[in-house]
Amino acid sequence: MSAKCIYSEYDKIVGVVEAYPPVEGDPVATGFTVSAQGHFVTAAPALWKANEKMPLRVRFGGSNGPVVAAGRIESDDHLMLLQLEKKAEPYPTATLGSEPLASVGDSLFAIGYPKGFDLTIFVGGALTSRNAFVQSTLTTWWQTNIEIMAGMNGAPVFDVGGRVVGVAIKGHDEFARVGYVLPLASADTILDKAGAVYKDTGPCSEITPAENATVSDESTAGACRDPSHGVEKWNEVQEVSRESGWIPEELDAEKWCALVQNSISKNYKLPQFEVLETERRMRRNGDVVLYLYSCKLRVQSNPSYLLKLSSACGN
């Protein structure tokens, strides 16, 4: 299965980053090695960016794994590129995905160090929207249903083949199953500094045409339809609009649409949502300010998965 393969391939590549010596309450982040020379990509907490002299270190392989010192090379608004201390052997590196990275509905996995926990893989995730509303602003971040907990920022996000296709940025402030991911194509400035190489297949891609091949319905021996194969089609697609009515509660467009998604998700089978339009209006009723929120969504649900021969079929 993809989850087992991804975990076994990356448990020595994904590390937890922390200030040294550690101070209780300081941020931690996840990151991953992208070159044999020890280039390491992680998130960029404000505390680390503000204090450039704060020493950092990276621990690999769980709570008892080896620790290496790390120096800063460059950072941008979201990511930081570190240089791990030199060693005789080359560092194992992540396989970075070339375009196309992922489509809405594709399965995603993430590996990282949630604060207070050991190395953890998050399974059952999917790309739910290619453009996320964050604090009422439409961004190029992906919206996923991966739970990005504290400490998971900077974690690699994988497709079913084990290619890194994005980097976990943050979770939603209120809804655990809404997580924001920076697509790898938006991290090219940092990755190019590391001399990154992009590939079409990952370490967990099936290696023979017969194994992971899409097959016709006339030749189904040993094949199955599994979520890890990706979505072939959505059997139900519709647009849904909701209005709040005039209420005294001040929200933002992102929160209102998230509330709508949460309230209607039970009406659909495995839904994926795309935000099409949002609006907030306001008026006064005497001394009281009232607000009206509207949200228009495209809802894709009841997926049919690709029919393939793969290890997911238990063959």
Side-chain angles (χ1 to χ4, degrees), residues 23-89:
V23 176
E24 185 174 354
D26 276 359
V28 296
T30 297
F32 54 101
T33 310
V34 296
S35 80
Q37 294 74 39
H39 291 100
F40 187 90
V41 171
T42 185
L47 179 64
W48 297 354
K49 294 174 70 175
N51 188 349
E52 295 184 356
K53 294 184 178 180
M54 179 182 290
L56 301 176
R57 67 180 184 181
V58 178
R59 174 167 44 83
F60 292 97
S63 56
N64 296 317
V67 175
V68 297
R72 296 168 174 80
I73 297 178
E74 186 168 326
S75 62
D76 60 18
D77 290 341
H78 308 300
L79 302 179
M80 181 178 287
L81 181 64
L82 305 178
Q83 174 65 63
L84 304 179
E85 64 183 49
K86 302 293 185 182
K87 65 176 187 176
E89 305 83 18

Side-chain angles (χ1 to χ4, degrees), residues 168-180:
I169 297 298
K170 59 175 290 187
H172 194 281
D173 293 336
E174 296 186 38
F175 301 101
R177 294 290 286 176
V178 177
Y180 303 120

Side-chain angles (χ1 to χ4, degrees), residues 2 31 43 46 49 60 62 66 92-93 103 108 116 123 145 154 201 215 221 235 272 278-279 281 302 307:
S2 294
K49 294 174 70 175
F60 292 97
T93 62
S103 300
L108 297 175
V123 300
N145 59 0
T201 59
V215 299
N235 293 297
Q272 306 291 349
T278 63
E279 184 181 11
R281 289 182 280 166
N302 192 16
L307 184 67

